[in-house]
Amino acid sequence: LRELVKPRIVSMVLVTTAIGYYLGAGGFSGLVNLLLTLLGTALAAGGSAALNNYLERDIDAHMPRTMNRVLPSGRIDPSVALSFGVLLVLSGVALLAWLVNLLAAFLVLLTAFLYVLVYTPLKKLTWWNTPIGAIPGALPPMVGWAAASNELSVGAWVLFAILFIWQHPHFYAIAWMYRDDYARAGFKMLSVVDPTGNRVFRQAIWFSLVLIPVSMLLSWLNVTGDIYMVGAIFIGAAMLA
């Protein structure tokens, strides 16, 4: 079950959620509220990962990169994975709605819905699955912000934009590395639609370039300071290079 919830991905979701909380609250005030937010988010994120594994179990069996996962390898019954995933998502959303606030709970539910029921099936239909899938991937910092302040001010939307943009070069790189696997599985990734790589490379460079000024917006809005500004410029430039 631990492998089913993709703990490494969940840990990164919690990092971005905590950053959103920190910036939304102006610090880590309300430690109990923060911990409840992280717990609810972790439950829902883990459940979403389990449901993603459930929906893609047959496809995963055809790719060397994923064929040894717990469902295609037969180590866990699919019905167990389905029940486990639904239970985790509902538990996470309920916890947030009851003990944090409804806005944070709604955003977590929206994230799970978009990831499981929109992004996952779109991978078989269109290369637009990547930009659409980047939406739920960029929502966790907004969850943290909403949990801290019970609102979504402009800073929360900038955090969303930063993570939304960053995911494109990240996932296009993965799509290029595993393009043969994706082609065998029938995924309509951009690297499969355009096997020359020209469109993948253009998209990766374009989004890496746009990421630099967008990430600087947090300092221009006085959400962060000069140290962040310098870091954003140099790390963004390094990624572009």
Side-chain angles (χ1 to χ4, degrees), residues 100-115:
V100 181
N101 61 54
L102 290 177
L103 179 57
F106 168 76
L107 290 172
V108 164
L109 181 60
L110 178 63
T111 302
F113 170 78
L114 292 175
Y115 179 69

Side-chain angles (χ1 to χ4, degrees), residues 46-234:
S48 298
L51 293 174
N52 172 262
N53 275 325
Y54 170 79
L55 292 175
E56 293 186 344
R57 64 193 185 281
D58 294 332
I59 297 170
D60 284 345
H62 296 291
M63 296 191 292
R65 185 172 66 93
T66 57
M67 62 191 308
N68 291 321
R69 288 178 175 174
V70 293
L71 284 175
S73 64
R75 284 178 284 158
I76 290 181
D77 187 88
S79 62
V80 174
L82 175 61
S83 301
F84 183 60
V86 171
L87 177 63
L88 287 184
V89 171
L90 294 180
S91 297
V93 172
L95 186 151
L96 291 169
W98 180 35
L99 298 175
V100 181
N101 61 54
L102 290 177
L103 179 57
F106 168 76
L107 290 172
V108 164
L109 181 60
L110 178 63
T111 302
F113 170 78
L114 292 175
Y115 179 69
V116 176
L117 297 179
V118 179
Y119 166 66
T120 298
L122 275 181
K123 287 195 281 186
K124 298 280 287 186
L125 301 176
T126 173
W127 72 268
W128 280 92
N129 68 77
T130 299
I132 292 173
I135 296 174
L139 285 173
M142 298 185 80
V143 172
W145 192 292
S149 63
N150 201 21
E151 63 177 8
L152 294 175
S153 56
V154 64
W157 290 101
V158 173
L159 288 174
F160 171 86
I162 290 171
L163 199 49
F164 175 81
I165 294 168
W166 171 84
Q167 286 177 92
H168 287 78
H170 172 73
F171 283 114
Y172 284 137
I174 294 174
W176 181 252
M177 291 168 59
Y178 297 106
R179 59 193 182 279
D180 294 335
D181 272 5
Y182 287 135
R184 278 193 292 267
F187 285 154
K188 305 296 184 182
M189 311 305 261
L190 188 56
S191 56
V192 175
V193 174
D194 176 25
T196 67
N198 291 332
R199 293 172 67 186
V200 169
F201 301 149
R202 280 200 305 269
Q203 292 268 359
I205 292 171
W206 166 247
F207 279 105
S208 296
L209 185 63
V210 172
L211 179 62
I212 298 173
V214 172
S215 63
M216 294 165 62
L217 285 173
L218 288 177
S219 291
W220 293 337
L221 294 169
N222 295 318
V223 176
T224 57
D226 294 336
I227 294 176
Y228 166 83
M229 172 77 87
V230 173
I233 293 172
F234 277 97

